[in-house]
Amino acid sequence: MNFFKKYRVIIFSTFIILLIVGITEFIFGRSPFGPDGKIALWDGNIWSSENSQRIADPYTFSHIAHGLIFYGFLWLVTRKIPVKYRFILAVIIESTWEILENSPLIINRYREATIAQGYVGDSILNSLSDIVWMSLAFIFASRTKVWICVLLIVVMELGCAYFVRDNLTLNIIMFIHPFEAIKNWQMLGQPIL
C-alpha cells in the first residue's frame, strides 16, 4: 500500500496518458490488437504483417533505448526537477511520438524511406506496450550507472543490426535522409528470429 501511496502521482498520470493514447489511436482507426485480433507476446519477423502488432517485437529495443536516452537527456537539461516529474515528461514525449508515429504522415514516410514498405502502423496494444517498455527503461536508468545504460544501448543496437538489419540509429538515419546503400543492405537477408 505504501508503494501506491508514494507513487500515486506517477501511476495515475501514466494511466491517464495511456488511456488518452489508446482512445486517440482508436478514434484514428488503429486496430486494438492487430489484423487477426489476437493478443501475443512477441513477433520477431519485421517483414510480417504481425510486426508492430504485438506486446513486443524487434523494435521494442528502440523503445527501451528511448527510455534510457530520455532519462539521460532529461537529467542533463532538467536536473533540478524531481525524477518523478521527469518520468511523466518522458511518458508524454513517448506518447506523443506514438500518436505521431501512427499518423498517415509518418506511416507513409516509413513506407517511402525505410525498409518498412508494408508498414501499416502499430496496433493500440503495441503502442501502449512501447510506452510501457520506455517507462521501464527510464526507471531502470534512474537506478543504475550510466555506463550500464550506454552498454545496454550499444548491445541492443548491434544485436538488432545483426538479427533484423534495423535498429534505432538506422531507423533515424533512414527516416531523415535515406541512403540507398543502407536500404540495399537491410533488404539482403531475411530475419534470423
Side-chain angles (χ1 to χ4, degrees), residues 22-42:
I23 291 170
T24 302
E25 289 190 358
F26 185 77
I27 290 169
F28 289 165
R30 303 299 327 140
S31 169
F33 304 113
D36 61 5
K38 294 180 183 174
I39 298 174
L41 180 60
W42 172 263

Side-chain angles (χ1 to χ4, degrees), residues 51-83:
N51 184 51
S52 297
Q53 305 303 307
R54 306 303 177 210
I55 292 170
D57 57 45
Y59 295 105
T60 297
F61 297 105
S62 293
H63 295 281
I64 292 169
H66 289 173
L68 302 173
I69 293 165
F70 290 169
Y71 178 80
F73 176 75
L74 291 172
W75 180 84
L76 285 172
V77 299
T78 61
R79 172 176 331 187
K80 293 183 180 181
I81 297 175
V83 72

Side-chain angles (χ1 to χ4, degrees), residues 169-189:
T169 304
L170 291 172
N171 207 296
I172 292 168
I173 290 169
M174 294 300 287
F175 187 81
I176 293 172
H177 182 74
F179 289 95
E180 201 61 35
I182 294 174
K183 192 171 187 177
N184 290 338
W185 172 76
Q186 289 179 310
M187 301 288 284
L188 280 177

Side-chain angles (χ1 to χ4, degrees), residues 21 54 66 68 76 78 93 106 117-118 127 139 142 144 179:
V21 171
R54 306 303 177 210
H66 289 173
L68 302 173
L76 285 172
T78 61
I93 294 168
I106 301 299
Q117 285 134 11
S127 278
I139 293 166
S142 74
T144 194
F179 289 95

Side-chain angles (χ1 to χ4, degrees), residues 103-114:
S103 69
L105 175 74
I106 301 299
I107 290 171
N108 291 333
R109 178 64 181 159
Y110 274 128
R111 286 179 185 162
E112 293 167 5
T114 71

Side-chain angles (χ1 to χ4, degrees), residues 4 13 31 35 44 56 64 87 96 100 140 156 172 190 193:
F4 290 105
S13 299
S31 169
I64 292 169
F87 173 83
T96 303
L100 185 60
F140 174 80
M156 289 187 301
I172 292 168
Q190 291 299 313
L193 298 177

